[in-house]
Amino acid sequence: MGFDVALRSSLQSQSTAYGFWLTVPSAAVARTLLRAATASPAEGFSWVLIDAEHGLISDQHYYDLATAVAAEGASPIIRVPWGEEWMIKRALDSGAHGVLTPMCHSPEDARRIVQYSKYPPVGSRGYGPLYASHAFPGVQAGAQYDDNADQSLLAMVQIESRSGVESVEEIAKVEGLDVLLIGPFDLAKQMGVVRGGEEHEAAIQRILKAAKAAGKKAAIFCTDGAQARARAEQGFDMVSVITDQGAMGDAMVRTLTAAQGKGVEEKARDGY
């Protein structure tokens, strides 16, 4: 018997998989946001990106966050700080349903990341998933997890540099790689172009096309719902809709302005 990964199931259904960025090390915040979506007319989130690259989260928080997200029916995806083998191992052993590695610049980078994410003989992931199965309801430690991890867990990389864009067709062809995610802020800065400008958008579309051509899934970070909808309509398989920080800040401002009768017009977000 295998085990279900919410995000992989959503991606296989051909529908867009919606998620959000978690930057605070709080299982309570994660569960609150997931339950709010479930109780709404929306379909709910199928994944949460646990951000250990830029947020306040470190690997000591992985286990609690991964198990909390999984308990609410979504997939915890951990973004590690860098493509180091020990970092990927720690995330997977904490119960991540997938690992996102930033700054993938070449096919060699992608092959290393896949290697670090898979058990021998396919890869080199060290064995010791003592607590990983806790993030998979109904899955017992041992053979049920061990025999299905390589096929069920997701290996994901971020394309966010000029070299990554120039190599994206070859990166996308790397066997064992599941998802290419675009980090639009870094992509613009690393390329030295205007975010939202023609060259920036051309790079985004090139990454999307390369992923699709190789049979891989394409994902992108979005700052609000309108932007997420536009990217979904372009064919992106995974889109984030906002960060926890952004959601909480926006909600506070909306209710405060309503209380003061100021009726401030809602504007598109220009950051995390």
Side-chain angles (χ1 to χ4, degrees), residues 32-45:
T32 297
L33 295 175
L34 286 166
R35 289 202 175 195
T38 302
S40 76
E43 295 179 8
F45 294 106

Side-chain angles (χ1 to χ4, degrees), residues 49-136:
L49 194 290
I50 297 169
D51 189 4
E53 182 189 11
H54 291 304
L56 301 178
I57 296 165
S58 63
D59 72 349
Q60 67 178 314
H61 305 117
Y62 290 172
Y63 172 81
D64 287 341
L65 296 177
T67 53
V69 169
E72 297 298 328
S75 280
I77 305 299
I78 296 178
R79 178 164 73 168
V80 294
W82 196 249
E84 297 283 350
E85 186 167 17
W86 72 269
M87 291 184 182
I88 293 171
K89 177 174 60 178
R90 291 281 288 171
L92 291 172
D93 285 350
S94 297
H97 289 191
V99 172
L100 176 64
T101 304
M103 293 291 175
C104 179
H105 302 305
S106 68
E108 290 74 26
D109 287 345
R111 280 191 284 269
R112 279 194 299 272
I113 289 159
V114 171
Q115 175 190 331
Y116 299 159
S117 302
K118 310 291 184 182
Y119 285 127
V122 177
S124 60
R125 177 183 172 187
Y127 184 76
L130 305 177
Y131 303 101
S133 62
H134 295 181
F136 299 85

Side-chain angles (χ1 to χ4, degrees), residues 2-271:
F3 55 76
D4 180 58
V5 170
L7 175 55
R8 188 176 286 279
S9 296
S10 182
L11 292 173
Q12 289 172 344
S13 73
Q14 304 302 313
S15 61
T16 304
Y18 294 98
F20 66 88
W21 240 245
L22 187 72
T23 67
V24 296
S26 171
V29 167
R31 298 186 82 147
T32 297
L33 295 175
L34 286 166
R35 289 202 175 195
T38 302
S40 76
E43 295 179 8
F45 294 106
S46 60
W47 58 281
V48 176
L49 194 290
I50 297 169
D51 189 4
E53 182 189 11
H54 291 304
L56 301 178
I57 296 165
S58 63
D59 72 349
Q60 67 178 314
H61 305 117
Y62 290 172
Y63 172 81
D64 287 341
L65 296 177
T67 53
V69 169
E72 297 298 328
S75 280
I77 305 299
I78 296 178
R79 178 164 73 168
V80 294
W82 196 249
E84 297 283 350
E85 186 167 17
W86 72 269
M87 291 184 182
I88 293 171
K89 177 174 60 178
R90 291 281 288 171
L92 291 172
D93 285 350
S94 297
H97 289 191
V99 172
L100 176 64
T101 304
M103 293 291 175
C104 179
H105 302 305
S106 68
E108 290 74 26
D109 287 345
R111 280 191 284 269
R112 279 194 299 272
I113 289 159
V114 171
Q115 175 190 331
Y116 299 159
S117 302
K118 310 291 184 182
Y119 285 127
V122 177
S124 60
R125 177 183 172 187
Y127 184 76
L130 305 177
Y131 303 101
S133 62
H134 295 181
F136 299 85
V139 174
Q140 297 298 321
Q144 191 178 1
Y145 178 88
D146 300 349
D147 296 347
N148 294 283
D150 284 0
Q151 295 77 32
S152 297
L153 306 183
L154 292 147
M156 307 166 59
V157 297
Q158 278 191 237
I159 308 299
E160 48 188 344
S161 67
R162 186 175 293 278
S163 57
V165 174
E166 291 172 350
S167 303
V168 71
E169 289 80 12
E170 294 305 310
I171 291 172
K173 294 175 184 176
V174 170
E175 187 175 354
L177 189 63
D178 296 296
V179 179
L180 279 68
L181 184 143
I182 299 168
F185 285 81
D186 265 307
L187 182 63
K189 289 182 179 297
Q190 294 280 334
M191 292 183 68
V193 300
V194 175
R195 182 166 58 86
E198 289 186 10
E199 190 173 355
H200 186 238
E201 186 60 29
I204 289 172
Q205 294 304 315
R206 179 175 174 180
I207 297 165
L208 173 62
K209 182 179 178 181
K212 296 289 187 177
K216 305 299 171 61
K217 301 300 183 180
I220 189 165
F221 172 86
C222 298
T223 55
D224 57 38
Q227 188 183 96
R229 181 176 180 179
R231 293 303 186 188
E233 290 174 348
Q234 289 178 349
F236 279 91
D237 305 286
M238 286 176 63
V239 294
S240 64
V241 301
I242 200 167
T243 64
D244 52 359
Q245 182 191 53
M248 291 186 289
D250 285 357
M252 283 295 194
V253 171
R254 281 197 305 271
T255 54
L256 179 62
T257 54
Q260 296 174 348
K262 294 185 177 180
V264 176
E265 183 180 352
E266 189 169 349
K267 298 180 181 179
R269 291 183 55 77
D270 191 38

